Amino acid sequence: MTKETELTVVDERHAVDPAPETPTTGNEPMRLDHLDALEAESVHIFREAAAEFERPVLLFSGGKDSILMLHLAMKAFWPAKVPFGLLHVDTGHNFPEVLAYRDRTVAEHGLRLEVARVQDYIDDGRLRERPDGTRNPLQTVPLLDAINSHRFDAVFGGGRRDEEKARAKERVFSLRDEFGQWDPRRQRPELWSLYNGRHRAGEHVRVFPLSNWTELDVWQYIDREGIALPEIYFAHQREVFQRGGMWLTAGEWGGPKDGETVQARSVRYRTVGDMSCTGAVDSTAVSLTEVIAEIAASTLTERGATRADDKLSEAAMEDRKREGYF
Amino acid sequence: MHTPTGSLLRLATAGSVDDGKSTLVGRLLHDTKQVFADQLDAVERVSRERGLAGADLALLTDGLRAEREQGITIDVAYRYFATPRRRFILADTPGHVQYTRNMVTGASTAQLAVVLVDARHGVVEQTRRHVAVAALLKVPHVVLAVNKMDLVDYQESVFAPIADEFAAYAQALGVPEVTAIPISALAGDNVVDPSRAMDWYAGPTLLEHLENVEVDHDPRHCAARFPVQYVLRPQSSEFPDYRGYAGQVTAGAFRPGDEVLVLPSGKRTSIAGIDRLGERDVDVAFAYQSVTLRLADDVDVSRGDVIVPADRAPEVTQDIVATVCHIADRPLRAGDRVLLRHGTSTVKALVRALDSTLNLETLVRDPGPSALHANDIGQITLRTAAQLPLDDYADHRRTGSFLLIDDADGATLTAGMVGVPLGTAAEG
């Protein structure tokens, strides 16, 4: 490992040039690797938000980014319990393995979980199914309603700036108006590590502790920490059909259509969202090490490879963000 | 894409509009294999639509539609790339509008700043502003990238005087380390791969320098600081009496047994133990780790307090003289009542006086401005409603900095640095 080589170099440097004026007992290298640094920054953000807001909530889908967030939150407040609950905006198009994981996690750690269901909105007519069948864009209304009814003033989201160019300019503390909208003009410059969470009544702040992580960091950290993930993140046999260059799972939400043929393939998921628009990738990776190797060799971005909703237009994410999406 | 295993480097770029900054950033991303096929497809498509001959790498860092439509600029975009040696976070600040405020924001967290100049024009007024901001924000390393060397036939006789002039200016401003590199972002010379056209240059490529520059300050040399973020009291059956102070070490190192003061109260105690994110009783906590300190005595400690070594404590005061960069579109005036955010503490503050504004090109301080406007750098005097443990920004970036906030709507007004590091008073 290159990492060990680096640490050895640091040791030699300190052996040659010990700091004279500060009494120290150990010679341990006082240096953080990139995962340590990202972890420390995320924990700092969680603690800031927990201290500055009255009613925070963590968005939890059972996807890897939300699992990572919960892991970091538990570390941040150890040995106390995480001082906020979870919110799942449920599209109704869930992978059963992911829902099972969600419920297992909530029970194991004694967490509070609120679920806002897109299906309820469709059933009573407040939302209508889109022609393309995807429900990801439909999550915004139930999300904003849940924020209002529970009076959440801070919402932890797993968004990362490396995901998409509208996210590259997102703040760690992102102010939303009383309609949940993101106004680029009202975003506050963030200097040093001073996060300004002040807001007026009715407004809330989205907090993004993973802002500076990349997809690869997430996987490396999950590997290092031994965090368990839902099985669908690893290669498995699945009945899939091809649409828009992606492998979609066959199911009642609109596929396969005429001319699309179902076949069994060895696939895994890079992201987990609405089943109708989240694609699997061909894979033989059954371990984290193998997943990391595949990602490092991948030529497509995470969203480009697996999210039909981001292919709608060049500014698809930007538009959804402005309306109050995650 | 590479699998990084080393440390994290935060850098900021600065350049005027036509210096080729977007091309340089695009080149860094592209040549370190951070650009994926779908992103490159998009760039090629847009390049064709705009009638360009080849893929314009500058488009990789193109702005949002909202910015184009509204004619605004969101201050900083963050880019990520990695090599097997290091992970990089690049704060990419737009060069045209709101320049000073953007660069101040980007530089506030940067360990290294890359300043671009056009080889044909050399050091210009804008370059002096960039260096002054880097010096003001105490960015420890500055790289001068002399770009467009392809347009001056890759001549050393063009590069050398620019590098000399820049280094002299930066050092006069107190920038501790300056490295000059001749590049062509467009042709790829000395960005990631060594140039074949500049045999006379024996130094590192830009990426090699970024990979190898020693940026970690040694916590052993620095007075330790620990702003308390959150008090952890589980009151559980397993931890009935646990009381820990959660926070991030912003400088130096703490060990169990260290004699410490809790500021601003000044109560003295010692560190009973340090827990790190679920790991009990670690030997040391050092700068930028997030940890939990347990104290030996039952002293009153809450969010906003700062724990410091008993023998290296900062001054505790209600009177602040600071250099500020005004951020908000509404101006700052003497007599304004604001909130001041320092570390994890927020207190009321009064702007007692606007002492001067600093001209970033001449470094002359003009006394007695009637107001500070967006992008102004100035010196101000503040009085706070409560005592604060303040470090000089020159010694401690994290505990020497603060924000002024509008109490009415929560807007961030002004970024402040304790002390007055730059400039000379205007004559007469």
Side-chain angles (χ1 to χ4, degrees):
Chain A
M1 291 275 292
T2 328
K3 184 174 174 178
E4 285 166 16
T5 321
E6 283 246 324
L7 292 177
T8 314
V9 172
V10 174
D11 271 333
E12 282 169 5
R13 187 171 61 88
H14 286 152
V16 175
D17 180 26
E21 74 259 57
T22 311
T24 54
T25 48
N27 262 342
E28 62 279 83
M30 290 192 190
R31 164 179 281 186
L32 302 176
D33 72 19
H34 76 285
L35 294 178
D36 294 328
L38 291 169
E39 178 191 63
E41 180 183 73
S42 298
V43 165
H44 174 78
I45 293 163
F46 268 115
R47 289 167 169 174
E48 280 304 285
E52 291 276 310
F53 296 95
E54 287 171 20
R55 299 175 65 84
V57 70
L58 189 151
L59 290 174
F60 190 81
S61 64
K64 69 176 191 313
D65 295 322
S66 65
I67 291 169
L68 169 57
M69 288 218 294
L70 180 59
H71 180 85
L72 290 165
M74 290 196 293
K75 290 185 93 163
F77 300 101
W78 182 94
K81 290 178 78 165
V82 175
F84 39 79
L86 311 180
L87 172 65
H88 181 204
V89 183
D90 180 354
T91 62
H93 293 168
N94 296 297
F95 294 92
E97 301 92 332
V98 176
L99 273 197
Y101 182 99
R102 180 196 76 183
D103 294 337
R104 217 163 47 233
T105 304
V106 167
E108 191 181 323
H109 301 294
L111 300 161
R112 290 193 315 276
L113 172 72
E114 302 289 344
V115 182
R117 290 185 176 80
V118 172
Q119 189 65 52
D120 292 347
Y121 285 73
I122 291 172
D123 289 347
D124 66 18
R126 281 177 289 171
L127 287 176
R128 258 171 298 176
E129 292 275 18
R130 295 158 51 93
D132 62 5
T134 176
R135 287 183 173 180
N136 267 3
L138 302 184
Q139 288 172 286
T140 302
V141 172
L143 169 67
L144 296 178
D145 284 352
I147 290 169
N148 284 335
S149 64
H150 294 282
R151 289 180 291 114
F152 294 130
D153 54 359
V155 180
F156 292 105
R160 307 190 315 263
R161 290 175 180 148
D162 81 319
E163 283 182 82
E164 208 278 333
K165 73 178 182 184
R167 292 218 196 263
K169 301 196 168 186
E170 182 57 283
R171 306 306 155 92
V172 175
F173 276 31
S174 176
L175 185 68
R176 303 302 166 104
D177 68 15
E178 57 188 315
F179 297 98
Q181 297 182 115
W182 178 69
D183 180 356
R185 280 179 191 274
R186 286 193 64 208
Q187 299 307 311
R188 300 161 177 165
E190 286 180 334
L191 297 103
W192 299 289
S193 300
L194 296 172
Y195 303 110
N196 177 1
R198 297 188 79 87
H199 58 282
R200 290 185 286 214
E203 296 179 336
H204 73 276
V205 174
R206 302 284 172 89
V207 179
F208 297 106
L210 306 183
S211 288
N212 283 326
W213 297 60
T214 64
E215 183 190 14
L216 195 55
D217 298 327
V218 170
W219 284 104
Q220 286 185 309
Y221 185 78
I222 286 169
D223 187 28
R224 188 183 89 171
E225 299 284 298
I227 301 170
L229 291 182
E231 303 88 313
I232 65 165
Y233 281 110
F234 302 96
H236 57 287
Q237 286 291 317
R238 180 174 285 267
E239 299 277 309
V240 291
F241 64 93
Q242 196 162 39
R243 181 183 295 168
M246 298 189 304
W247 293 111
L248 297 181
T249 293
E252 58 200 54
W253 38 81
K257 291 175 185 162
D258 292 343
E260 293 172 336
T261 52
V262 173
Q263 52 178 298
R265 296 185 74 89
S266 175
V267 296
R268 67 177 168 82
Y269 285 86
R270 282 173 77 176
T271 68
V272 168
D274 182 332
M275 271 183 109
S276 67
C277 68
T278 304
V281 293
D282 283 320
S283 173
T284 55
V286 294
S287 69
L288 281 168
T289 312
E290 288 166 357
V291 169
I292 290 167
E294 283 191 0
I295 290 166
S298 170
T299 61
L300 292 177
T301 62
E302 183 179 276
R303 285 191 165 265
T306 66
R307 286 298 182 88
D309 47 338
D310 287 339
K311 294 188 172 179
L312 296 174
S313 81
E314 201 194 354
M317 173 66 85
E318 186 181 340
D319 291 341
R320 275 180 293 147
K321 270 179 67 64
R322 289 182 64 101
E323 289 161 11
Y325 190 71
F326 304 130
Chain B
M1 201 201 286
H2 298 290
T3 309
T5 50
S7 55
L8 192 65
L9 176 74
R10 293 170 198 263
L11 66 150
T13 54
S16 309
V17 187
D18 299 322
D19 290 340
K21 184 169 64 66
S22 296
T23 309
L24 175 65
V25 173
R27 171 66 63 188
L28 273 174
L29 298 178
H30 180 266
D31 288 5
T32 55
K33 314 279 188 286
Q34 306 300 305
V35 180
F36 294 89
D38 49 331
Q39 291 172 311
L40 206 54
D41 285 349
V43 163
E44 283 168 357
R45 193 181 64 237
V46 176
S47 299
R48 275 196 307 276
E49 286 166 7
R50 297 187 188 178
L52 302 172
D56 181 0
L57 290 181
L59 291 173
L60 284 169
T61 61
D62 205 15
L64 301 179
R65 196 183 57 196
E67 294 173 87
R68 291 193 295 275
E69 286 175 358
Q70 300 180 32
I72 56 167
T73 312
I74 300 178
D75 55 6
V76 184
Y78 292 90
R79 319 284 174 198
Y80 301 85
F81 59 103
T83 71
R85 290 187 60 86
R86 249 186 194 154
R87 255 275 271 120
F88 301 92
I89 300 177
L90 186 151
D92 187 12
T93 55
H96 36 105
V97 207
Q98 305 292 356
Y99 191 76
T100 304
R101 159 177 114 176
N102 296 335
M103 194 186 163
V104 166
T105 302
S108 72
T109 52
Q111 298 153 294
L112 181 145
V114 178
V115 177
L116 264 98
V117 302
D118 185 324
R120 295 169 301 173
H121 308 313
V123 174
V124 295
E125 292 298 287
Q126 189 76 288
T127 317
R128 294 179 194 277
R129 294 176 68 88
H130 298 157
V131 187
V133 170
L136 198 63
L137 273 288
K138 294 289 165 191
V139 179
H141 301 264
V142 173
V143 174
L144 170 71
V146 181
N147 193 22
K148 307 195 183 182
M149 287 298 293
D150 52 320
L151 300 183
V152 294
D153 298 328
Y154 297 108
Q155 291 180 75
E156 184 178 14
S157 59
V158 175
F159 169 77
I162 298 173
D164 289 345
E165 184 186 353
F166 184 90
Y169 191 70
Q171 273 152 18
L173 294 180
V175 175
E177 197 191 287
V178 178
T179 306
I181 303 174
I183 68 166
S184 167
L186 194 66
D189 296 273
N190 285 338
V191 178
V192 170
D193 300 315
S195 172
R196 291 182 196 166
M198 290 181 275
D199 289 343
W200 48 266
Y201 175 74
T205 66
L206 177 59
L207 185 67
E208 282 168 358
H209 181 68
L210 297 179
E211 282 186 303
N212 293 306
V213 62
E214 189 67 55
V215 288
D216 293 302
H217 79 150
D218 192 331
R220 291 172 179 84
H221 292 280
C222 198
R225 297 290 183 257
F226 186 83
V228 174
Q229 285 188 277
Y230 199 91
V231 182
L232 290 169
R233 293 185 63 202
Q235 296 175 299
S236 59
S237 53
E238 197 184 346
F239 297 94
D241 301 317
Y242 187 97
R243 189 181 182 91
Y245 303 104
Q248 190 173 25
V249 181
T250 60
F254 291 94
R255 291 171 192 281
D258 283 358
E259 290 289 314
V260 295
L261 300 181
V262 179
L263 298 177
S265 73
K267 292 197 186 72
R268 191 183 177 105
T269 179
S270 63
I271 294 176
I274 303 173
D275 301 322
R276 200 193 76 83
L277 308 181
E279 194 180 338
R280 294 209 74 173
D281 290 311
V282 298
D283 296 333
V284 63
F286 56 90
Y288 316 116
Q289 285 184 319
S290 281
V291 298
T292 304
L293 303 185
R294 284 176 281 113
L295 300 179
D297 303 291
D298 193 12
V299 292
D300 183 27
V301 182
S302 56
R303 175 172 170 84
D305 290 342
V306 183
I307 297 173
V308 304
D311 58 350
R312 298 183 80 177
E315 188 192 357
V316 173
T317 179
Q318 289 176 256
D319 294 296
I320 306 173
V321 174
T323 303
V324 299
C325 173
H326 192 62
I327 285 170
D329 291 330
R330 74 199 79 163
L332 188 75
R333 293 197 162 84
D336 282 356
R337 291 177 187 277
V338 294
L339 295 175
L340 186 149
R341 172 71 189 268
H342 170 257
T344 55
S345 168
T346 305
V347 300
K348 289 184 173 166
L350 170 70
V351 180
R352 286 180 55 193
L354 305 181
D355 305 317
S356 60
T357 52
L358 177 68
N359 182 321
L360 278 178
E361 281 152 23
T362 61
L363 297 180
V364 172
R365 288 200 299 261
D366 295 316
S370 58
L372 289 185
H373 300 280
N375 300 302
D376 280 351
I377 303 280
Q379 178 191 325
I380 68 172
T381 305
L382 295 157
R383 170 81 177 172
T384 57
Q387 294 206 309
L388 292 174
L390 290 178
D391 281 300
D392 201 37
Y393 184 78
D395 305 324
H396 288 271
R397 291 174 86 184
R398 288 278 288 270
T399 46
S401 53
F402 62 86
L403 302 177
L404 298 184
I405 294 169
D406 188 327
D407 198 10
D409 66 356
T412 298
L413 299 173
T414 302
M417 294 156 279
V418 178
V420 184
L422 280 189
T424 53
E427 289 174 30

